[in-house]
Amino acid sequence: MRFYSKKGKVLFPILIVVLILMAASSLASVMDLEFLQRIPGADSGNGQGSLFVTVPIMALIIWLVAATYYEISGEELKIAAGPIRYTIHIHTIRSIEASKNPISSPALSLDRLRIDYNQSNVVYISPKDKKEFTDELLKINPNIRVHLEKK
């Protein structure tokens, strides 16, 4: 069963704004728009070299937005966020609790779940339907401590 990431009111728009700004900047450098040369510190040379940096970063952002999900397959929880992949054996999950921790993680929202697994591993994710997600995990491992109320 696949659960897609919730797209938050803060983090998701930031990613989209960064993507738009990068696209506009790249387009402006390729088109050599004259008004950009009046900006202090703007490079008056050929801006096409910046495309080698911005296009891969833009592709990464699109990949993250389009392919961030959590999949329960057998006894494994597979976490995907663009090129980032985790596999967690569900029987190693000790606890799941609501979190707003902004630490970098495979989540498109700050409305997250903190998953503690193994002895000391932690991952933060943001499934759209946290209740259904945790219920599915509990069917496989009923020993998981779950606390979904926000602190």
Side-chain angles (χ1 to χ4, degrees):
M1 179 174 274
R2 185 173 283 192
F3 297 86
Y4 287 92
S5 180
K6 179 178 182 178
K7 292 172 175 67
K9 295 177 183 175
V10 175
L11 197 55
F12 182 70
I14 289 172
L15 286 174
I16 298 303
V17 167
V18 168
L19 185 64
I20 291 168
L21 290 174
M22 290 178 76
S25 172
S26 296
L27 184 61
S29 70
V30 169
M31 295 179 71
D32 196 29
L33 298 177
E34 192 174 308
F35 72 89
L36 285 177
Q37 294 177 5
R38 288 183 254 166
I39 298 172
D43 186 10
S44 60
N46 186 348
Q48 293 179 0
S50 69
L51 291 178
F52 290 110
V53 175
T54 56
V55 170
I57 292 172
M58 289 168 44
L60 177 63
I61 291 171
I62 292 168
W63 193 4
L64 287 169
V65 169
T68 298
Y69 61 89
Y70 321 105
E71 187 170 64
I72 298 171
S73 177
E75 293 189 347
E76 292 181 333
L77 170 59
K78 297 176 180 179
I79 298 171
I84 302 162
R85 306 276 192 234
Y86 296 96
T87 299
I88 299 170
H89 196 278
I90 294 171
H91 287 286
T92 67
I93 297 175
R94 297 186 333 262
S95 67
I96 299 173
E97 66 180 56
S99 175
K100 295 275 189 192
N101 192 326
I103 193 167
S104 179
S105 65
L108 298 175
S109 171
L110 293 176
D111 183 14
R112 299 175 173 187
L113 294 177
R114 174 189 165 127
I115 297 179
D116 291 285
Y117 63 102
N118 292 333
Q119 286 297 94
S120 60
N121 296 95
V122 175
V123 66
Y124 293 90
I125 63 172
S126 61
K128 283 182 187 176
D129 189 338
K130 294 188 281 188
K131 174 86 170 92
E132 183 182 0
F133 176 78
T134 55
D135 286 347
E136 288 298 318
L137 290 174
L138 286 168
K139 287 178 187 176
I140 298 165
N141 180 1
N143 297 321
I144 299 172
R145 292 184 320 270
V146 177
H147 190 265
L148 295 182
E149 276 101 47
K150 296 173 187 158
K151 295 179 179 179

